[in-house]
Amino acid sequence: MKKLFTREFVIGLSVILAIVVLYVGIDYLKGVNIFKPANFYVAEYKNVAGLELSAPVTVDGFKVGQVREINFNYANPGDIEVVLALNKELRIPEDSKAVIGSGLLNGAYVEIKLGQSKKMIEVGGNIATETVPDMMASLSDELLPSVQSILPKVDSLVLNLNRLVSDPALATSIQSLEGITHNLYQATGSLNGIMGRDVPVMLRNTGRAMSNIDTITRNLNVLSTQLKSLPLASTMDNVEDITGNLSKFSRQLNNENSSFGRIMNDPELYERINKVTSDIDSLIIDIQKNPKRYISIKLL
């Protein structure tokens, strides 16, 4: 009886399985899921620079499929057919457009801008396309003129910077700055020493001063108590009496009819008193010179 599975049959079956696994693995690495059903649409472009197989197809930033094939139309040179595998649940209005976009990091992709039409494109049909300016080309067109206008200024700036760096005054200023920094460091050290040495003494002196102030305050309180106990009322009464008497005496001096007033205000009386005083002085002097004239002593 012949064997059902010969060695040649097993080898051939293994090769076929290996080829299938390799194909499926390659598609899987490309991001193609052959087990997930998809609808295919065609988009024709004049330029697909940067677009590769398995590139994502998005709607409003959400991935709804991928690029399955990119074919050059040899029958109509200049047109490139891109086959898009999209989710079977997605319906595309007739006025939709497939636009190739590009990012700085993730490369090119196809973005479908859904239209508002109620009529949908049949599966396998063509989607209208739209070309947008390449991002890098736009950047080059917009930035290069600005960069070219800035370059002379940059050269001038670099030249001035070189002159500044090579100027001896800069080195002198740096040395002066180092000296200032060193002086500040020394001053900081001295200040730290003063703070550590003199501040505690100042604090102790301040404490003593506060103690003295407390003592002075207590003494002032005692003095205030003593002043309160003094008979200030009677003293003020006596002062008022003395003031009244002085006022009365002053009025008498100013009154021409009083004795003191006559003496103070009568010139003739003043002259008489001066004359009497002068006569008395002359008499005393004469008595001192000639005492015998006024004193006689008789001996029995």
Side-chain angles (χ1 to χ4, degrees):
M1 183 177 179
K2 278 188 175 183
K3 291 183 179 180
L4 183 60
F5 299 104
T6 62
R7 180 181 298 177
E8 291 79 5
F9 178 80
V10 172
I11 293 174
L13 182 61
S14 300
V15 171
I16 293 172
L17 290 177
I19 293 173
V20 171
V21 171
L22 180 62
Y23 176 78
V24 173
I26 292 174
D27 284 344
Y28 179 77
L29 292 176
K30 291 181 179 180
V32 178
N33 188 353
I34 62 174
F35 300 106
K36 184 176 181 179
N39 292 332
F40 294 90
Y41 297 87
V42 178
E44 294 184 354
Y45 298 95
K46 297 294 183 181
N47 190 343
V48 292
L51 189 65
E52 297 180 355
L53 293 176
S54 302
V57 180
T58 63
V59 175
D60 296 332
F62 181 80
K63 183 178 178 181
V64 294
Q66 61 187 5
V67 176
R68 182 59 62 86
E69 296 179 10
I70 300 177
N71 301 317
F72 186 80
N73 190 349
Y74 293 97
N76 187 16
D79 291 336
I80 301 175
E81 294 181 353
V82 177
V83 179
L84 308 178
L86 306 180
N87 193 304
K88 291 184 68 66
E89 298 179 2
L90 180 65
R91 296 292 181 267
I92 302 177
E94 282 189 343
D95 55 348
S96 300
K97 294 183 179 180
V99 182
I100 296 178
S102 61
L104 294 176
L105 298 178
N106 53 3
Y109 59 91
V110 177
E111 180 181 4
I112 297 178
K113 296 181 179 180
L114 297 178
Q116 303 296 327
S117 177
K118 300 297 182 181
K119 189 176 181 181
M120 304 297 168
I121 299 175
E122 295 182 358
V123 177
N126 289 351
I127 304 176
T129 60
E130 185 179 62
T131 303
V132 296
D134 183 66
M135 182 180 294
M136 296 305 297
S138 300
L139 290 176
S140 299
D141 294 338
E142 294 177 2
L143 291 181
L144 281 179
S146 301
V147 172
Q148 290 176 354
S149 63
I150 292 174
L151 284 178
K153 298 179 181 179
V154 174
D155 293 338
S156 177
L157 179 62
V158 173
L159 179 61
N160 293 331
L161 184 60
N162 289 332
R163 290 178 179 175
L164 178 62
V165 172
S166 59
D167 192 350
L170 180 62
T172 304
S173 300
I174 293 175
Q175 292 177 356
S176 300
L177 183 61
E178 290 179 353
I180 293 171
T181 304
H182 180 68
N183 293 334
L184 287 176
Y185 179 77
Q186 291 181 344
T188 303
S190 301
L191 182 60
N192 291 332
I194 292 172
M195 292 293 291
R197 182 181 65 256
D198 296 341
V199 169
V201 177
M202 294 174 62
L203 291 176
R204 288 195 296 270
N205 293 335
T206 303
R208 293 173 184 173
M210 293 301 295
S211 177
N212 294 333
I213 291 174
D214 292 338
T215 303
I216 293 171
T217 304
R218 288 194 296 271
N219 293 335
L220 289 175
N221 290 331
V222 173
L223 178 61
S224 176
T225 304
Q226 292 176 354
L227 289 174
K228 289 181 180 179
S229 63
L230 291 176
L232 294 178
S234 60
T235 302
M236 292 302 297
D237 293 338
N238 294 332
V239 171
E240 290 180 357
D241 293 339
I242 293 171
T243 304
N245 293 330
L246 290 174
S247 298
K248 183 178 180 181
F249 180 71
S250 176
R251 286 195 299 272
Q252 290 179 356
L253 289 176
N254 293 326
N255 189 2
E256 295 180 356
N257 296 323
S258 64
S259 300
F260 289 105
R262 290 178 179 179
I263 294 172
M264 295 295 295
N265 299 310
D266 190 354
E268 185 178 355
L269 180 60
Y270 177 76
E271 293 294 335
R272 289 179 182 178
I273 291 174
N274 283 337
K275 185 177 180 181
V276 170
T277 303
S278 179
D279 292 341
I280 292 172
D281 289 338
S282 299
L283 179 61
I284 292 172
I285 293 172
D286 188 60
I287 291 172
Q288 290 177 350
K289 290 181 177 181
N290 304 301
K292 294 180 179 182
R293 182 183 299 178
Y294 302 95
I295 301 173
S296 60
I297 300 174
K298 295 181 179 181
L299 299 175
L300 295 179

